[in-house]
Amino acid sequence: MNDQEAMAAFAALSNVTRLKLLKALVRAGPAGLNAGALADAVSATPSRTSFHLAAMAETGMITSTRQARQIIYAVDFARMGEIVTYLMSDCCADAPALLECCAGGAASR
């Protein structure tokens, strides 16, 4: 991951609706949710939800899969791990103990 990719990912999450969508998708796990369920979860219109999902999909944080007439969205957990690791590795590069501490603290939550 490079600086541009990281900036795009964090910019995509700098919106309250997108952050709520991501949280809903994380809770849903690998099975994901359809667009209608996501719109309900964040109290947004379907068109507004689609707009936000498209912005997040551009960064690779979420994926979409067509199942019959529905589109199912899911978090790409590997990509999210890359984003978090990029941030933590960069800021903690001079202090590996901090990285271990942060990784351990996040894992225990």
Side-chain angles (χ1 to χ4, degrees), residues 20-94:
K20 287 179 181 179
L21 286 167
L22 183 64
K23 287 180 175 184
L25 286 169
V26 167
R27 284 190 297 275
L33 292 169
N34 66 44
L38 284 165
D40 290 344
V42 299
S43 301
T45 63
S47 63
R48 196 76 184 139
T49 301
S50 293
F51 167 78
H52 288 301
L53 291 167
M56 293 168 64
E58 284 181 27
T59 68
M61 286 187 284
I62 64 170
T63 61
S64 61
T65 307
R66 181 169 291 282
Q67 291 182 1
R69 292 188 289 190
Q70 294 185 348
I71 297 177
I72 305 298
Y73 294 90
V75 171
D76 183 333
F77 287 99
R79 180 65 170 173
M80 289 304 299
E82 289 175 10
I83 293 166
V84 172
T85 299
Y86 173 83
L87 178 64
M88 296 303 295
S89 295
D90 189 49
C91 73
C92 300
D94 294 329

